[in-house]
Amino acid sequence: MKKTLILLAALWQSAVFCAQTVIPVASPTKTLKVEIGVKGQSVQIDLYDKEGKVVNIQTLRLDLAEKLLAGNWQVANQTRTSVDQTWQPVYGERSLVTDRYNGLELLLRSDKNSKEMTFSVRLYDEGLAFRYAFDKLDFWNCTLKDEHTQFLFGQDADTWVTGNAQGAYSKTRLSELKETGDRPQVVRLGENRFVAIGEAALVDYSRMKLGKSETGTGIQSVLSGEVKLDLAGYQSPWRYVMVANHPGQLVQNNDLILNLNEPNQIANTSWIKPGQVLREVTLTTPGAFAAIDFAAENHIAYVEFDAGWYGAEEDTRSDATTVTVDPARSKGPLDLPKIIEYAQAKDVGILVYVNKKALHQQLDVILPLYKQWGIKGVKYGFVNVGDQYATAWLHHAIRKAAKYELMVDVHDEYRPTGYSRTYPNLITQEGIRGDEESPALSQSIYTLYNRMICGAGDNTNCFYAERVSQKMGGRAAQLAKRVAIYSPWQFIFWYDRPAKAPARAGGAGSAESIIRTDAITDFYCSIPTVWDDTRFYEGDMESYAVVARRSAADWYVSVLNAGNKRRVTIPTDMLDKGTRYKATLYYQQGQKKDAVSVKEIKCQGETLTLDVEADSGCVLHITPIMK
């Protein structure tokens, strides 16, 4: 592992301060630069790329319940840092992550009451990050009511917003923003100039959302509740601004968010295993055996038992230490101990869903119990999000699950900020408008270019359900989404059940289709869930995306096309020049949305050309030919 760390401490200190201090910082290859100005009670950051100013950021616009901020900030000390290192994630979108930035830490002191704060900046070639920290003694027992950080642009611009983490994205203008939106938020400043604004390392603070700026043209942070500074360790999460000349590069560079989090805290990670997941929808023992058999035959790592296995999920009387099937969902019977034993013999892991009501009441009891039962992971359902207490409790619950070697999938409104680096038992999370909502293919492309910047998304994938062909771009597009939308746990037949499973009678979440066993299903089930390399190629925010991912020596190239029929050109620069390859294309032929066609194509030259039907997708599987 390459690692270089240079500290230049206490570079500058003076007892005499000018009215404004302006401090420059450049990224490692000078792709980006900032000018940090300290004046009055604010710190201003001007971020530049090679075309000029990208954004003006007005920080430290803080609303403290106790009026502790007085006078003007002055730079009492500054420390510069240069970091160039790599690290290996337990799993991810690439097998090696580069962490390379130039940093600056400013010690700020009030000229009136000598209270101190620390303002930290990191400048990567991919973007800017900053955070602030409060002196424990000066701000003891203090409450932050809100933060009004502004991200101001020199002109009006297109942006994509969603009001909640599972909501639909819509395109609007900065000047026309109304309600607050979830992060990250992408802004297009020009044909080849995109920025994404968000937060990283949100662990015990109040969530930041983004609304229209009070002044100028831009967006502004809005906290989802007050922050008790002592409970937050007296420091904020990181706020970041990523910059790229293509929307796919924002997603490709999303390791920046992981780099802003603390390193892995789990010493032995051998029990943390990504893989595909089959949801068992009947909540019966025969249905469970059929699901386990199907999973074992199709290399699916896990079977998950969703809401209803221990009672009505929203009833506080439901006991998650018992197997008491909700009669509104199934008549049972469900013999979970026997099912777990059967699954272990088939090398299939069992996952269970637990609603927040049981989690809050029984967390300390159920986690060691599930470990004893042989369960591999828990899906935390309908968790509270937003305020400081909910944020801190949820991450505490993730850490506690790690203590009992249980993996976690957080469902509903939770959006990641990189904590899976620190506690990689946080395998995935929802916070996405997934297939449960039957999104049009254009919405899935919005999701790819916006939501997937911040990390893995449990997309609750459908494949055989009728909605796939009726609303979602067809079955070939679902193959392409499996590659494009990253999640270490992939639920791959959300509304489908194996042919041998009994039918489930009506009700929410009932099975819509039977899984067919054929060559296409075999390929769908064989697509990896984690990757050794990821590259985004051509595409645009509105209509299409091209993503290439590598697993070992195999490449999977995904094309999602929500626009008209188009010809896509794919570079072959990722292939080894000295190796011969076989390329198999899985695609939609004509308007046959419920079918996937297969053909071999020649893999030679510097590019590959694919013709992709309107409102469809395809996957090109490129594998080396063994000599």
Side-chain angles (χ1 to χ4, degrees):
M1 181 176 72
K2 176 185 176 185
K3 181 173 182 179
T4 305
L5 181 63
I6 304 171
L7 294 177
L8 305 175
L11 267 178
W12 176 85
Q13 186 173 4
S14 174
V16 180
F17 303 95
C18 59
Q20 179 173 1
T21 302
V22 178
I23 304 169
V25 181
S27 68
T29 66
K30 298 182 172 53
T31 302
L32 301 175
K33 68 176 184 176
V34 295
E35 292 178 351
I36 303 168
V38 181
K39 184 178 182 180
Q41 287 191 352
S42 70
V43 174
Q44 173 180 293
I45 304 175
D46 287 321
L47 173 63
Y48 299 85
D49 64 8
K50 293 180 179 179
E51 296 183 28
K53 185 183 289 188
V54 177
V55 63
N56 168 260
I57 308 168
Q58 302 284 337
T59 74
L60 292 188
R61 301 175 77 247
L62 307 175
D63 183 3
L64 290 166
E66 295 77 9
K67 304 301 181 182
L68 299 177
L69 299 181
N72 298 316
W73 289 122
Q74 296 178 335
V75 179
N77 197 17
Q78 65 169 282
T79 302
R80 289 184 181 266
T81 307
S82 182
V83 170
D84 187 355
Q85 62 184 358
T86 57
W87 56 275
Q88 292 181 313
V90 177
Y91 52 81
E93 296 180 78
R94 54 192 50 81
S95 56
L96 191 67
V97 175
T98 298
D99 185 13
R100 187 179 183 216
Y101 66 88
N102 290 329
L104 176 69
E105 185 175 283
L106 299 178
L107 177 62
L108 305 177
R109 183 178 297 144
S110 168
D111 65 358
K112 185 171 183 178
N113 56 16
S114 296
K115 292 191 180 297
E116 293 183 343
M117 289 184 64
T118 300
F119 189 79
S120 299
V121 172
R122 293 183 183 180
L123 192 58
Y124 299 80
D125 287 331
E126 299 79 18
L128 161 75
F130 61 91
R131 79 187 317 174
Y132 45 88
F134 302 85
D135 182 86
K136 181 177 179 179
L137 294 177
D138 288 346
F139 294 88
W140 177 81
N141 201 30
C142 186
T143 300
L144 175 67
K145 296 179 69 177
D146 209 345
E147 170 197 335
H148 307 284
T149 299
Q150 290 186 330
F151 304 85
L152 304 177
F153 301 94
Q155 72 282 337
D156 204 3
D158 291 335
T159 188
W160 288 262
V161 294
T162 178
N164 57 78
Q166 291 183 263
Y169 277 95
S170 60
K171 178 184 175 182
T172 186
R173 300 285 283 176
L174 290 171
S175 60
E176 297 172 0
L177 289 171
K178 293 180 173 60
E179 299 179 355
T180 58
D182 221 312
R183 70 278 185 267
Q185 185 169 332
V186 174
V187 180
R188 179 169 59 196
L189 300 178
E191 190 65 27
N192 299 303
R193 208 180 193 201
F194 294 81
V195 303
I197 297 169
E199 71 177 327
L202 173 66
V203 179
D204 47 21
Y205 216 73
S206 182
R207 174 191 58 190
M208 178 185 77
K209 296 192 81 170
L210 296 165
K212 187 176 182 180
S213 59
E214 296 171 353
T215 61
T217 302
I219 56 180
Q220 178 172 307
S221 64
V222 180
L223 296 185
S224 300
E226 296 182 343
V227 176
K228 299 291 185 182
L229 295 182
D230 58 331
L231 299 180
Y234 297 94
Q235 69 178 358
S236 73
W238 291 95
R239 283 73 176 92
Y240 62 80
V241 181
M242 298 174 67
V243 184
N245 59 20
H246 183 277
Q249 287 183 352
L250 294 173
V251 190
Q252 183 172 310
N253 295 336
N254 64 7
D255 287 336
L256 183 145
I257 290 95
L258 296 176
N259 284 329
L260 294 169
N261 282 261
E262 294 298 316
N264 174 27
Q265 299 298 299
I266 301 174
N268 174 20
T269 60
S270 61
W271 51 275
I272 299 175
K273 296 180 180 180
Q276 297 177 103
V277 186
L278 179 64
R279 184 174 71 134
E280 204 293 299
V281 297
T282 73
L283 295 182
T284 66
T285 302
F289 283 177
I292 292 165
D293 287 342
F294 182 86
E297 292 165 3
N298 291 276
H299 310 290
I300 297 173
Y302 301 98
V303 169
E304 185 256 359
F305 293 87
D306 220 89
W309 70 269
Y310 63 87
E313 61 172 327
E314 292 293 346
D315 191 336
T316 57
R317 296 169 296 179
S318 295
D319 184 355
T321 68
T322 67
V323 183
T324 309
V325 178
D326 178 4
R329 291 183 177 265
S330 172
K331 295 180 180 180
L334 183 68
D335 188 341
L336 194 55
K338 186 176 180 180
I339 291 164
I340 294 172
E341 181 181 4
Y342 186 76
Q344 288 173 341
K346 296 271 187 173
D347 197 25
V348 174
I350 297 298
L351 314 176
V352 294
Y353 169 98
V354 181
N355 182 273
K356 70 183 177 197
K357 287 182 168 56
L359 288 172
H360 280 276
Q361 293 178 145
Q362 298 182 287
L363 184 69
D364 290 332
V365 176
I366 62 176
L367 294 181
L369 180 64
Y370 294 170
K371 169 68 173 177
Q372 179 184 333
W373 285 359
I375 286 171
K376 302 300 182 183
V378 184
K379 187 200 297 188
Y380 291 176
F382 288 103
V383 296
N384 292 321
V385 295
D387 64 56
Q388 183 183 25
Y389 171 80
T391 301
W393 185 91
L394 180 57
H395 292 99
H396 166 76
I398 292 166
R399 295 191 296 272
K400 187 158 286 189
K403 177 181 177 182
Y404 298 103
E405 297 188 342
L406 290 168
M407 294 171 280
V408 175
D409 176 2
V410 178
H411 252 231
D412 308 299
E413 278 292 294
Y414 175 79
R415 280 219 167 157
T417 63
Y419 200 60
S420 59
R421 179 189 180 186
T422 311
Y423 278 87
N425 68 308
L426 175 56
I427 288 282
T428 192
Q429 52 273 303
E430 200 172 13
I432 190 173
R433 194 166 187 81
D435 284 1
E436 285 178 294
E437 305 292 339
S438 306
L441 195 52
S442 57
Q443 189 61 226
S444 295
I445 292 171
Y446 279 168
T447 293
L448 176 61
Y449 283 137
N450 291 274
R451 159 64 179 84
M452 302 315 294
I453 292 170
C454 65
D458 182 354
N459 198 56
T460 57
N461 302 306
C462 297
F463 196 59
Y464 282 109
E466 290 183 1
R467 64 184 68 196
V468 167
S469 299
Q470 294 172 346
K471 304 176 182 180
M472 299 164 61
R475 197 156 291 135
Q478 291 300 106
L479 284 177
K481 283 165 62 176
R482 272 280 285 108
V483 175
I485 297 178
Y486 164 73
S487 180
W489 274 356
Q490 289 271 6
F491 285 75
I492 60 173
F493 295 109
W494 186 254
Y495 284 119
D496 308 324
R497 59 183 171 86
K500 295 180 180 179
R504 180 181 173 184
S510 61
E512 294 183 359
S513 301
I514 302 297
I515 302 170
R516 295 202 295 267
T517 53
D518 56 22
I520 302 304
T521 300
D522 290 346
F523 178 68
Y524 181 67
C525 293
S526 73
I527 296 173
T529 64
V530 295
W531 306 95
D532 294 309
D533 195 6
T534 293
R535 305 184 189 189
F536 277 71
Y537 289 111
E538 62 177 274
D540 64 50
M541 291 289 289
E542 304 298 324
S543 59
Y544 80 111
V546 180
V547 187
R549 298 189 190 271
R550 179 175 62 84
S551 175
D554 285 18
W555 281 92
Y556 296 76
V557 183
S558 165
V559 182
L560 291 167
N561 179 30
N564 296 325
K565 183 175 181 178
R566 73 172 68 241
R567 177 163 291 181
V568 175
T569 301
I570 301 167
T572 58
D573 58 345
M574 70 283 205
L575 303 180
D576 185 347
K577 299 297 183 184
T579 303
R580 293 175 59 232
Y581 290 89
K582 171 186 175 183
T584 306
L585 182 65
Y586 297 80
Y587 68 105
Q588 176 181 307
Q589 188 173 44
Q591 297 304 308
K592 299 177 180 178
K593 289 190 171 296
D594 62 347
V596 177
S597 297
V598 185
K599 67 180 178 181
E600 303 296 320
I601 68 172
K602 291 183 179 180
C603 187
Q604 60 187 29
E606 296 182 355
T607 61
L608 293 171
T609 301
L610 303 178
D611 290 317
V612 187
E613 294 290 337
D615 190 41
S616 76
C618 64
V619 173
L620 182 64
H621 180 205
I622 305 174
T623 186
I625 299 173
M626 303 302 293
K627 295 181 179 179

